[in-house]
Amino acid sequence: MVSILEMIMLICFGFSWPINFRKAYQSRSTKGVSLTFFCLIEAGYISGIASKILDGNITWVLFFYVLNLVTVAANIILYFVNRRRERRG
């Protein structure tokens, strides 16, 4: 039951990242975006992954941690792309 609840949490958080990516991609702007926030979220997902690995609790829930980690990483990359566009004018 614990793994199911953890998976539900990760799925709920995970739905927000593609939505955020789409919004940032369409706006081509970094306005309202916090790189610090993204990095803190990434650190949280990395900690969750490390916890699973160190505890030897490698289950299918780990997939959702990795999926969210990759999706937030894509948002970070898009942040830098948009920032470069803004600087170019």
Side-chain angles (χ1 to χ4, degrees), residues 17-66:
W17 302 125
I19 293 167
N20 188 73
F21 185 89
R22 181 174 179 235
K23 180 182 170 190
Y25 180 78
Q26 289 176 336
S27 72
R28 297 177 168 243
S29 172
T30 59
K31 289 182 183 173
V33 177
S34 169
L35 182 59
T36 302
F37 175 74
F38 283 146
C39 291
L40 287 170
I41 296 298
E42 285 285 73
Y45 287 137
I46 290 168
S47 295
I49 291 167
S51 169
K52 292 289 184 192
I53 292 170
L54 292 173
D55 193 34
N57 187 17
I58 301 174
T59 64
W60 44 271
V61 174
L62 185 63
F63 168 78
F64 291 100
Y65 275 104
V66 173

Side-chain angles (χ1 to χ4, degrees), residues 68-87:
N68 285 352
L69 182 77
V70 169
T71 309
V72 174
N75 276 278
I76 290 172
I77 291 167
L78 182 59
Y79 172 87
F80 286 108
V81 168
N82 284 343
R83 191 170 84 173
R84 194 170 97 211
R85 281 186 188 135
E86 289 173 341
R87 287 183 176 173

